[in-house]
Structure formats: structure tokens, C-alpha cells
Amino acid sequence: MTRSADRRGPYICGIDAAMDVVTGKWKSLILWELDQHGTRRFGVLKRGLPGISEKMLIQQLREMEEDGLVDREVFREVPPRVEYSLTAQGKSLNAALRPLGAWGKERIKRIKARMVTVDSAE
């Protein structure tokens, strides 16, 4: 499966180019899961991402492999074993996303604090 040419630009800025490879809910979560736990087999990776369908995980992993973020290693065994890991580019993208994750954690705290304030006012 090859991706359409429009996914390769033209880009208007660096954020545009970066978001092109992490668009959607699952790619950033796949990056996080592989960063936190290292190399994972498909089934283990799927269990670490509650709510993702097998079809969606396959699609996202293929795109991420094509973008150079994920390495797929096939072991010629019976039954076949496939493992996924982050490439150097995937690791560097994860490092770039860490500040966004920290911002998100602060957002969660603010939301919870507002909920406590609203609950105590009632």
C-alpha cells in the first residue's frame, strides 16, 4: 500500500510536515507505547492500545514504517513472528512530542481541578 503524493507536501511549515506523520489518535499512542516498552510483537502492542482495531493498527504501523518511524522485523519461524520497534527517527519524534505530552498532563490537572471546584460549589 503506497500513500498518496499529497502526504509528501508541499508543506508550509515544519509543524505541517511533522503533523503529517502523526495525524490521528493512534500514531502518537503507538509511538508512546513503543517508547515506553521497547520492541513489541503485534498482539502485545495491540493489547497496550485499548480500543484500536486490528485493521487500524496494521494500517497505522504500515504508514509509520513507510515514514521511517517504525521498524518491522519478520522472523522466519513457524508460526511467523513479527516485532515492531522505533527507528532513530521515531525516537527523535517521540522526544519532540514529550513537551506536548507534558502540556497535556497539565491540561488534565486543570480539568480535574475545575471539576472539583464545580462539584464543591453544588
Side-chain angles (χ1 to χ4, degrees):
M1 173 192 310
T2 58
R3 296 165 77 188
S4 61
D6 63 338
R7 282 208 20 96
R8 302 284 179 222
Y11 298 117
I12 58 172
C13 67
I15 291 175
D16 187 18
M19 294 308 294
D20 191 24
V21 296
V22 293
T23 299
K25 174 181 180 178
W26 296 111
K27 288 183 182 177
S28 57
L29 295 175
I30 292 167
L31 283 168
W32 180 83
E33 180 72 16
L34 290 173
D35 185 58
Q36 294 299 303
H37 302 289
T39 301
R40 307 296 262 177
R41 292 180 70 173
F42 182 86
V44 175
L45 185 56
K46 185 175 181 314
R47 282 191 296 276
L49 300 164
I52 193 169
S53 69
E54 188 169 314
K55 179 181 175 184
M56 180 59 69
L57 181 56
I58 290 168
Q59 177 186 337
Q60 299 296 281
L61 287 168
R62 284 182 182 158
E63 289 180 10
M64 293 172 76
E65 184 181 7
E66 188 176 312
D67 286 331
L69 304 175
V70 172
D71 185 43
R72 178 178 185 263
E73 186 173 0
V74 179
F75 295 86
R76 305 289 177 204
E77 303 172 348
V78 178
R81 177 171 48 117
V82 179
E83 293 182 345
Y84 296 90
S85 60
L86 291 178
T87 63
Q89 280 189 344
K91 289 176 185 176
S92 71
L93 178 56
N94 233 358
L97 291 172
R98 278 192 190 97
L100 184 60
W103 184 90
K105 285 180 183 178
E106 290 301 316
R107 176 173 161 71
I108 291 168
K109 288 178 187 175
R110 289 190 303 272
I111 290 169
K112 287 181 179 178
R114 274 196 310 246
M115 291 171 65
V116 168
T117 303
V118 169
D119 287 345
S120 64
E122 291 178 352

